[in-house]
Amino acid sequence: MVEFALIVTLLVMLVFGITELGRALFQWNTLTKAVVTGTRYMARANGEVVNPDCTEGANWAAFRDRAENLVKTGQTASGGTELLNAITVTTFEVLPRQFSYSGNTKNACVINIVAQSEFDSIFGGSIIPFINLDLITLTARTEERYIGE
């Protein structure tokens, strides 16, 4: 009985640890796909970035709000339910970049989006029960060259 009690506590902790790791990977993957989708949407916003100096167009704020809603809820219209717990878009910018290939140097504009979300643990406020550890913050970032089709 004593051996069983010692082993079963370790096995239960191992099972919950594997479950939490799987949930963390699932939530990180969901956040990453949402950020990629929002970046792709902005990269194809026709006429919203002026090449070659990468300045924002007249309707940039409206496109940015729709892309942020796309990252948070999976739809461009506001008011949907969030894909994950408290997604915040921390970086949303257009950056000028130079690309070199085969001896040629070209200027291009790159859309860069970074978003974060707190990991939603099974145990609520702590990753491991009875141990006061802070929650993990999941971060996803992506950038894509502006196409404007």
Side-chain angles (χ1 to χ4, degrees):
M1 290 298 275
V2 173
E3 290 173 352
F4 177 74
L6 292 173
I7 296 299
V8 85
T9 55
L10 291 174
L11 287 176
V12 168
M13 288 177 58
L14 183 66
V15 167
F16 277 115
I18 291 170
T19 303
E20 286 293 275
L21 177 64
R23 293 184 76 249
L25 289 174
F26 173 76
Q27 289 179 23
W28 177 77
N29 187 40
T30 301
L31 181 64
T32 301
K33 287 191 301 186
V35 169
V36 167
T37 303
T39 305
R40 187 169 294 143
Y41 176 79
M42 285 306 298
R44 285 154 179 80
N46 193 15
E48 290 310 312
V49 173
V50 180
N51 284 318
D53 60 351
C54 301
T55 57
E56 300 167 355
N59 294 326
W60 175 260
F63 272 99
R64 184 193 186 288
D65 290 342
R66 282 183 277 204
E68 190 167 346
N69 284 333
L70 189 61
V71 169
K72 289 181 178 181
T73 64
Q75 60 186 11
T76 55
S78 61
T81 58
E82 287 190 340
L83 297 172
L84 291 175
N85 182 28
I87 296 177
T88 56
V89 178
T90 58
T91 304
F92 204 118
E93 59 190 358
V94 182
L95 304 170
R97 294 273 169 83
Q98 281 191 339
F99 296 96
S100 297
Y101 58 92
S102 303
N104 295 327
T105 302
K106 298 280 185 180
N107 291 333
C109 300
V110 175
I111 307 292
N112 182 23
I113 297 179
V114 179
Q116 293 181 334
S117 175
E118 281 189 3
F119 171 59
D120 188 18
S121 174
I122 291 175
F123 304 111
S126 178
I127 297 172
I128 302 172
F130 312 116
I131 299 174
N132 195 14
L133 293 176
D134 291 335
L135 289 179
I136 298 170
T137 301
L138 305 171
T139 303
R141 70 182 67 233
T142 188
E143 56 183 37
E144 188 168 329
R145 182 174 178 216
Y146 178 74
I147 299 170
E149 294 178 343

